[in-house]
Amino acid sequence: MKNILLILNVLFFALNLQSQVNIVSDSFIPDLLQRDCIRYVPSSDTKKNTPSHRQLIDRIYVKYNSIGNNDGSSWEDAYTNLQDALKNSTTDDEIWVAMGTYLPQNEVEIPSISNIRKTFLIAQDVKLYGGFAGTETSLEEREVENNPTILSGDFSGDDIADDFETNRLDNAINVVFVENTVTTESIFDGFLVQGGHAAGDTLVLTDLRGGGIFSWGAIQINNCTFRQNYAEA
């Protein structure tokens, strides 16, 4: 099955209950793309961005239950926190994330809005891949559907399905935040993003949109599901 390549080339990208999608098929194109201001690019164009077309790969590993050195150098010594991997990555790095649930528990500074919040901040061109069991040596070995890799904004673990009022005030505003320095060389692939709640300060755009992911940049999104996120506007 070919994947859809979505490029976010607008100021924001808000996926909430009304636009919950699993982006895995070329059959998903017209109406939703127009409504959410997303530009569709044929999936054949993704080939140039796959690891097999690059001679050198700098790879960082993340596995929530790793008990090694926590330095991201291997599955055995993987970071247990995805935020650490993002913070210590450099341009063009690959970040491989094993199955499990990850929370953006630490506050990070977001330069574009001069704000500090708990989010998974993507501030440069990196390639994030979820869906690993935690033993793979090649990207082709991963099985995304069998290894759910969840990025959640539900810090207390008390969200109620389809209830966007109860127990939501302590959730992350934006589970993932993509800076304006990010280009189409960046990839976000193989994740379930849930529990974002963008219903904050009515004067701040980023507090009202993009509960699942808010993007100033042009990141590519493949094989992802956005569910149980809320955006006020």
Side-chain angles (χ1 to χ4, degrees):
M1 179 182 293
K2 295 189 298 181
N3 295 331
I4 279 188
L5 168 61
L6 294 179
I7 296 182
L8 305 182
N9 62 342
V10 293
L11 292 181
F12 61 87
F13 175 36
L15 282 176
N16 52 39
L17 180 65
Q18 284 70 41
S19 49
Q20 174 182 329
V21 293
N22 190 0
I23 306 170
V24 294
S25 170
D26 280 348
S27 63
F28 169 81
I29 300 179
D31 296 336
L32 183 60
L33 298 186
Q34 292 298 323
R35 186 170 71 249
D36 287 335
C37 302
I38 304 167
R39 181 160 64 90
Y40 172 75
V41 177
S43 56
S44 59
D45 289 350
T46 64
K47 185 175 182 181
K48 64 183 180 182
N49 292 308
T50 58
S52 60
H53 286 71
R54 298 202 309 276
Q55 294 182 345
L56 179 63
I57 300 173
D58 292 320
R59 185 174 299 147
I60 299 173
Y61 297 87
V62 181
K63 189 176 183 180
Y64 78 96
N65 58 354
S66 175
I67 57 174
N69 293 331
N70 196 34
D71 59 15
S73 60
S74 66
W75 284 126
E76 291 75 18
D77 295 318
Y79 286 119
T80 57
N81 187 334
L82 176 56
Q83 286 181 307
D84 290 337
L86 289 167
K87 179 181 177 180
N88 293 304
S89 64
T90 58
T91 300
D92 293 330
D93 280 353
E94 284 189 3
I95 301 176
W96 287 17
V97 188
M99 66 179 296
T101 300
Y102 299 86
L103 304 171
Q105 294 178 322
N106 301 319
E107 291 186 335
V108 296
E109 183 177 356
I110 304 176
S112 63
I113 60 173
S114 301
N115 200 322
I116 295 175
R117 67 182 49 174
K118 294 180 178 181
T119 188
F120 291 113
L121 177 64
I122 303 175
Q124 58 190 335
D125 286 337
V126 293
K127 297 171 175 58
L128 288 87
Y129 296 100
F132 294 94
T135 58
E136 295 86 348
T137 58
S138 70
L139 193 59
E140 291 73 22
E141 291 181 76
R142 69 175 179 151
E143 298 179 354
V144 174
E145 293 183 0
N146 294 329
N147 299 305
T149 307
I150 301 170
L151 307 185
S152 174
D154 179 15
F155 296 118
S156 300
D158 57 2
D159 282 2
I160 301 171
D162 301 327
D163 182 344
F164 296 94
E165 296 182 358
T166 307
N167 302 331
R168 301 282 297 198
L169 293 180
D170 61 342
N171 285 31
I173 297 173
N174 319 109
V175 180
V176 180
F177 196 105
V178 182
E179 278 285 41
N180 53 16
T181 49
V182 172
T183 74
T184 56
E185 294 300 310
S186 189
I187 296 175
F188 186 75
D189 185 313
F191 295 94
L192 289 86
V193 182
Q194 64 187 42
H197 196 78
D201 190 335
T202 56
L203 299 179
V204 180
L205 178 67
T206 55
D207 286 0
L208 298 176
R209 295 178 175 176
I213 180 171
F214 187 104
S215 180
W216 297 119
I219 194 169
Q220 303 176 26
I221 298 181
N222 306 317
N223 301 311
C224 289
T225 299
F226 294 81
R227 64 188 185 189
Q228 299 297 315
N229 298 294
Y230 177 82
E232 186 77 19

